[in-house]
Every structure is written in C-alpha cells, then in structure tokens.
Amino acid sequence: MSDTKELTYSDVSEHTGKKDLYIVVHDKVYNASSFVDEHPGGEEVLLDVGGQDATEAFEDVGHSDEAREILNGLHIGALKRVEGDPKPKSSGSTATSTTPKTDAGGLGIGVYAIILVGGAAAFFAYQYLSSNQNKS
C-alpha cells in the first residue's frame, strides 16, 4: 500500500484545470490531464467533472473496455475519505440507473420499427388500391 498514493477530496479538488486535471471514479483517483485533448466526448466533458467524483458520469455513458483500460493507465492513487466528504454513489444505484437507459433504448428502436412497418404497410396498401383502380 505504500506505493499507492492516497488523496483526499480536498487534494483532488485543487486539480481542475485542463493541464492539471484529477477525477475520481469508484474511489480511485486519476490524472486525466494527458487525456483531455484526446477524449472523444470533448474536453468539456472532463473539465465539467474535474476535481470531483465522476463515477456516475463515467458509468452513465457506458464506456467501452478500451476506455476502461485508458482510465487504468491514468490511475495515480486512491481516494482517502475524511469526514465531511460527499457520500459515495452506491454501486447498486449505478446499476439501476443504467438499466432504464437500456430499456429506453430498446423502446426507441421498437418505435422506429413500428413506424417503418406501418409506413411499408401503408405504401403497399396504396400500391394495391391504385392498381385495382387502374384495372376498373
């Protein structure tokens, strides 16, 4: 444990600039300074959570395994909680917050499928009725 640096929220909150940016994800502290310009979501996304607990924001996006590997490469230490720090987000709330998003995404695809099938049915009905009128 002696090789792992321990930082408090107070320590982390001092690092909020583009060239000096720390974030906390799952009680681990990461120096995201070198990744700000490379972040696919843009630098604003990281700067908005700089010096704070970014766990919820990180998990809500649903980062890939590759993104998690990059994050591991930025790890600099562990968060040392002291009295008065914000309470951690429980892992259960993260799981429940991502489940509705998955369901909502499925519903969105279902709506598009219904619209597509309905449009196709209307088109074929129009073609059928038009061809019947031309025969008369």
Side-chain angles (χ1 to χ4, degrees), residues 107-120:
L107 178 64
I109 292 170
V111 170
Y112 286 121
I114 290 169
I115 291 171
L116 181 63
V117 169

Side-chain angles (χ1 to χ4, degrees), residues 37-111:
D37 291 328
E38 299 172 31
H39 189 266
E43 66 183 43
E44 298 83 21
V45 175
L46 288 176
L47 293 172
D48 284 345
V49 295
Q52 304 173 42
D53 189 338
T55 303
E56 187 173 1
F58 183 82
E59 293 299 342
D60 281 351
V61 174
H63 282 89
S64 65
D65 290 338
E66 182 181 358
R68 293 175 188 279
E69 286 178 27
I70 292 169
L71 187 66
N72 285 337
L74 303 175
H75 184 252
I76 59 166
L79 182 67
K80 180 181 179 184
R81 292 194 175 274
V82 295
E83 195 165 328
D85 284 348
K87 299 289 183 210
K89 305 287 183 200
S90 67
S91 58
S93 69
T94 301
T96 56
S97 69
T98 56
T99 302
K101 288 187 179 226
T102 303
D103 293 343
L107 178 64
I109 292 170
V111 170

Side-chain angles (χ1 to χ4, degrees), residues 16-62:
T16 59
K18 183 175 177 179
K19 296 189 185 305
D20 181 27
L21 186 70
Y22 287 9
I23 61 170
V24 175
V25 178
H26 296 296
D27 286 349
K28 293 181 181 177
V29 181
Y30 300 92
N31 183 345
S33 306
S34 63
F35 191 67
V36 172
D37 291 328
E38 299 172 31
H39 189 266
E43 66 183 43
E44 298 83 21
V45 175
L46 288 176
L47 293 172
D48 284 345
V49 295
Q52 304 173 42
D53 189 338
T55 303
E56 187 173 1
F58 183 82
E59 293 299 342
D60 281 351
V61 174

